[in-house]
């Protein structure tokens, strides 16, 4: 009996103890790491965490989201494409760990795993990516915090509001709203959008601090008599215009207060009389002294009117009739870009959805098949009349060039503080439609940030979705009043490397006394496709702009001279000279062919783009296929796959001579000639003389040696410098590692060619 009671008590205690243990066991269980998902276009700089884990979706490589750098990437890079570029994940997606670092100088671009990264001189922040494998005891954020900066227009409103408190207002006063401060949004599985709110704001009580401005000619709060004289003159001009006296201004007037950078009284209102204004001093606060105070000509015009102005042009005080009459269009070179116009948010005013009266689709001029983007200057310095002249010029160009689906297609971007697409390449298919659309364009205002506009067209405008046809050269024509207010060099270089032919049309460019005010000296030469003068037009006056129509149309339609359409991937004749000797063996020979195919895949193949030829050799030589034999990438890859292993001796010198005679003698004059020799042993004949002869004929020679290849022979074959053109691989299976290196070298050499 006692035994049964003790057993019962023991069992009760046992169950009670087990029941208490379960909650502790559950309590000590480690939480599971939740991996948040990101999009292909998510950039590391937009996420506030210094280190985090994320999951990339599949097929990011096809989005071509930009990547800057190699190994260490600029924070404006796509996280997922950087991970693919670094070999961390494949195009199928996957988990990655991102760790941020300090900025680098510079970032070097490269081609890796099917993703081409771009070069960048410097950036403020970097990051590295690693395999998304969780370490024991390490937990990453389960949700990502995205930082959003205020939009560009908010910063502009702050800048103009500050200026309004310093300069005596001339136009009717209205209230403005302060910009929104930076906000942080926590992204969860449910996404919501919060609209920014504004509060009443009085300039007299504003506590906003002005942004730092370099090279100010005068503080905005200065009480210099010059400001008072401009204010009085502008008041008189406004009163005169309100009475209907005189037309809108077409020249920069000395009697107008508002400059290129002058503030609007309200962000949503346009000035009643934009007029023409003094050009700005680079980096100076927007204001009436922007240009006039910087040049003798401007300062004289600022305090007195010109009594000799032409009849009908009362504001023509900037140039006398002697300056503007009987002046031919001059073609000169000059240009320059901005250091990093890369990470900006741009708006778009696509009008594709507007209903239009259906009409037969125009075929256009088949002798001018180009895709053209006109970048029109919408800055305040132009004034209403000159902006109308600019629209008339574009309308006439569209008529003369004869737009149509089988000829030229034309789109327009207007730029001021930021660029905006007025209409894309596919929006209008005839000159008649274009003329109507151009007439409806309203002036945007702001600065003349041509560098931002060039970065925009490179990233967004020339896309297949916007009507880019691929087979037609891309052309960008930049119209600029005077000079840009930002740098254009870096943005132009990236655009040129993407195959965009950049033209500059400069109207009333800086004279000798004004060049000191230009943000970037020689900005035209630094921007255009080539510095030969073909890609630049200097128009001395807005009233002479019409004379530039015919010269400009003739140049953009001369497709043989649009050399910037040629890139490192579409402008080559490449000959593979393949060792088929007995020492290679059947299996290794197939590995060599796979390497040849992998290199070929990186190029754009067609009759007019890169062409591929192949020679196999032993003691003898055999032409496998010529440059002109296959015109598509699929055909070339199929031809490579069909090459049969030959077997025999090794006469590399004779094979080089054979390739020169059978392939390069039939190469097109405008093609870069490239020879890639692949061998696994020492040649039985001399390679020096044949290699020297082919190099003297303009062929760039690469040598790839495997296993028993002789190092000195590889160096003789390769173009100098040897280390950039000669490679040695210990075994055939490692050939694939040199595909990115060869492509990168070919592109670096192409992009380093002189631009003249």
């Amino acid at each position: 009996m006692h035994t049964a009671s003790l057993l019962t008590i023991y069992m009760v205690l046992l169950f009670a103890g087990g029941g208490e243990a379960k909650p502790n066991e559950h309590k000590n269980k480690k939480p599971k790491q939740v991996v948040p998902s990101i999009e292909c276009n998510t950039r590391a700089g937009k996420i506030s965490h210094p280190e985090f884990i994320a999951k990339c979706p599949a097929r990011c490589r096809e989005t071509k989201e930009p990547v800057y750098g190699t190994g260490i990437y600029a924070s404006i890079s796509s996280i997922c494409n950087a991970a693919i570029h670094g070999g961390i994940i494949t195009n199928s997606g996957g988990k990655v760990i991102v760790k941020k670092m300090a900025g680098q100088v510079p970032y070097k671009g490269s081609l890796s795993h099917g993703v081409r990264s771009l070069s960048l001189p410097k950036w403020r922040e970097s990051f590295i990516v690693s395999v998304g494998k969780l370490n024991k005891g390490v937990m990453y954020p389960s949700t990502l915090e995205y930082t959003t900066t205020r939009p560009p227009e908010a910063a502009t409103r702050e800048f103009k509001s500050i200026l309004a408190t310093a300069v005596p207002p001339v136009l009717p006063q209205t209230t403005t709203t302060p910009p929104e401060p930076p906000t942080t949004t926590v992204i969860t599985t449910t996404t919501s959008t919060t609209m920014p709110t504004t509060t009443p704001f009085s300039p007299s009580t504003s506590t906003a601090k002005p942004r730092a401005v370099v090279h100010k000619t005068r503080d905005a709060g200065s009480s210099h008599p010059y400001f008072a004289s401009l204010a009085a003159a502008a008041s008189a001009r406004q009163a005169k215009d309100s009475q209907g006296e005189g037309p809108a201004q077409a020249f920069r007037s000395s009697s107008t207060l508002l400059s290129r950078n002058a503030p609007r009284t309200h962000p949503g209102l346009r000035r009643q009389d934009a007029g023409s204004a003094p050009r700005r001093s680079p980096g100076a606060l927007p204001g009436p002294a922007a240009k006039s105070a910087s040049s003798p000509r401007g300062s004289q015009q600022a305090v007195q009117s010109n009594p000799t102005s032409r009849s009908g042009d009362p504001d023509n005080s900037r140039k006398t009739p002697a300056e503007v009459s009987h002046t031919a269009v001059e073609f000169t070179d000059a240009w320059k870009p901005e250091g990093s116009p890369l990470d900006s948010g741009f708006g778009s005013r696509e009008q594709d959805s507007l209903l239009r009266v259906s009409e037969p689709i125009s075929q256009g001029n088949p002798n001018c098949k180009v895709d053209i983007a006109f970048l029109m200057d919408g800055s305040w310095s132009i004034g209403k009349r000159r902006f109308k002249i600019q629209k008339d010029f574009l309308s006439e160009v569209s008529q003369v060039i004869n737009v149509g689906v089988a000829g030229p297609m034309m789109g327009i971007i207007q730029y001021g503080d930021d660029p905006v697409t007025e209409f894309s390449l596919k929006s209008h298919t005839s000159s008649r439609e274009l003329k109507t659309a151009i007439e409806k364009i309203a002036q945007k205002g702001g600065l003349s940030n041509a560098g931002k506009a060039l970065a925009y067209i490179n990233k967004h405008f020339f896309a297949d979705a916007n009507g880019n046809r691929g087979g037609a050269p891309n052309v960008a024509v930049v119209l600029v009043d005077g000079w840009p207010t930002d740098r254009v060099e870096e943005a132009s270089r990236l655009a040129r490397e993407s195959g965009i032919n950049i033209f500059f049309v400069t109207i009333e460019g800086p004279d000798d006394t004004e060049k000191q005010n230009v943000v970037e000296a020689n900005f035209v030469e630094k921007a255009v496709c080539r510095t030969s003068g073909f890609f630049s037009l200097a128009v001395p006056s807005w009233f002479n702009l019409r004379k530039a129509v015919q010269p400009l149309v003739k140049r953009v339609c001369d497709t043989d001279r649009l050399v910037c359409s040629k890139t490192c991937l579409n402008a080559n004749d490449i000959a593979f000279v393949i060792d088929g000797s007995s020492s290679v063996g059947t299996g290794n020979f197939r590995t060599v062919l796979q390497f040849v195919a992998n290199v070929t895949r990186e190029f754009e193949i067609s009759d007019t783009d890169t062409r591929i030829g192949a020679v196999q050799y032993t003691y003898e030589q055999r032409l496998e296929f010529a440059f002109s034999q296959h015109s598509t990438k699929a055909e070339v890859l199929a031809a490579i796959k069909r090459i049969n292993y030959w077997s025999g001796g090794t006469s590399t010198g004779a094979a080089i001579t054979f390739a020169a005679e059978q392939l390069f003698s039939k190469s097109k004059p405008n093609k870069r000639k490239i020879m890639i020799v692949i061998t696994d042993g020492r040649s039985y004949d001399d390679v020096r003389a044949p290699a020297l002869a082919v190099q003297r004929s303009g062929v760039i020679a690469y040598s790839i040696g495997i296993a028993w290849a002789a190092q000195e022979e590889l160096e003789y074959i390769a173009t100098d410098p040897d280390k950039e053109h000669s490679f040695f691989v210990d075994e055939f299976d490692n050939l694939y590692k040199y595909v990115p290196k060869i492509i990168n070298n070919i592109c670096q050499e192409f992009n380093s060619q002189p631009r003249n």
Side-chain angles (χ1 to χ4, degrees), residues 734-749:
N734 289 330
L735 271 173
Y736 75 94
K737 295 180 180 179
Y738 288 87
V739 174
K741 179 68 173 175
I742 291 173
I743 301 300
N744 188 53
N745 285 357
I746 290 173
C747 286
Q748 282 185 346
E749 286 185 341

Side-chain angles (χ1 to χ4, degrees), residues 7-144:
L7 182 61
T8 302
I9 293 171
Y10 174 76
M11 294 300 292
V12 170
L13 292 174
L14 181 63
F15 283 115
E20 291 176 358
K22 289 181 180 178
N24 292 333
E25 180 182 349
H26 178 72
K27 184 176 180 180
N28 296 331
K29 187 176 181 181
K30 294 181 180 179
K32 184 178 180 181
Q33 172 72 62
V34 177
V35 180
S37 296
I38 58 175
E39 301 297 329
C40 297
N41 62 354
T42 301
R43 303 179 182 184
K46 296 298 182 182
I47 298 175
S48 60
H49 304 288
E51 187 172 2
F52 57 90
I53 189 171
K55 184 177 181 181
C56 291
R59 304 184 65 81
C60 282
R61 187 163 54 200
E62 283 76 1
T63 65
K64 297 184 179 179
E65 288 294 329
V67 177
Y68 300 91
T70 301
I72 299 177
Y73 303 96
S75 63
I76 54 171
S77 303
S78 161
I79 294 174
C80 297
N81 276 346
I84 296 174
H85 180 271
I88 305 302
I89 61 173
T90 65
N91 199 34
S92 300
K95 301 175 185 177
V96 297
I97 293 175
V98 179
K99 184 176 181 180
K100 294 186 179 180
M101 306 170 59
Q104 302 290 312
V105 179
Y107 298 88
K108 291 188 177 181
S110 64
L111 178 67
S112 179
H113 300 94
V115 175
R116 179 172 300 284
S117 68
L118 304 174
S119 297
L120 191 64
K122 61 180 179 179
W123 195 248
R124 59 179 176 266
E125 186 181 47
S126 310
F127 71 96
I128 58 174
V129 284
S130 57
V131 178
K133 184 178 181 181
L134 297 173
N135 295 323
K136 187 175 181 180
V138 177
M139 290 294 293
Y140 295 99
S142 58
T143 58
L144 300 178

Side-chain angles (χ1 to χ4, degrees), residues 221-240:
S222 172
S223 59
H224 194 280
Y226 173 72
F227 287 86
S229 66
L230 280 179
S235 297
R237 170 63 55 199
Q238 188 179 18
K240 183 177 179 180

Side-chain angles (χ1 to χ4, degrees), residues 271-289:
R271 298 181 300 170
Q272 295 177 359
D273 180 18
S276 60
R279 278 176 281 184
R280 66 277 160 206
S281 175
L285 280 173

Side-chain angles (χ1 to χ4, degrees), residues 248-268:
Q249 297 173 356
F251 287 103
R252 295 179 180 81
S253 171
S254 61
S255 62
T256 305
L257 171 65
L258 296 174
S259 71
R260 167 161 289 181
N261 304 337
R264 287 182 285 171
T265 56
H266 189 279

Side-chain angles (χ1 to χ4, degrees), residues 252 260 280 377 381-382 386 479-483 507 542:
R252 295 179 180 81
R260 167 161 289 181
R280 66 277 160 206
D377 191 339
S381 72
I382 294 180
R386 285 179 295 177
L479 302 171
V480 62
D481 175 43
W483 56 82
I507 306 100
W542 279 94

Side-chain angles (χ1 to χ4, degrees), residues 476-510:
V477 180
V478 183
L479 302 171
V480 62
D481 175 43
W483 56 82
T485 54
D486 65 347
R487 296 181 178 273
V488 295
E489 185 171 16
E490 179 65 12
S492 300
R493 181 186 66 80
L494 294 173
R496 291 194 306 269
E497 290 179 1
S498 298
I500 300 174
N501 296 273
I502 300 176
F503 287 77
F504 252 67
V505 179
T506 308
I507 306 100
E508 300 183 13

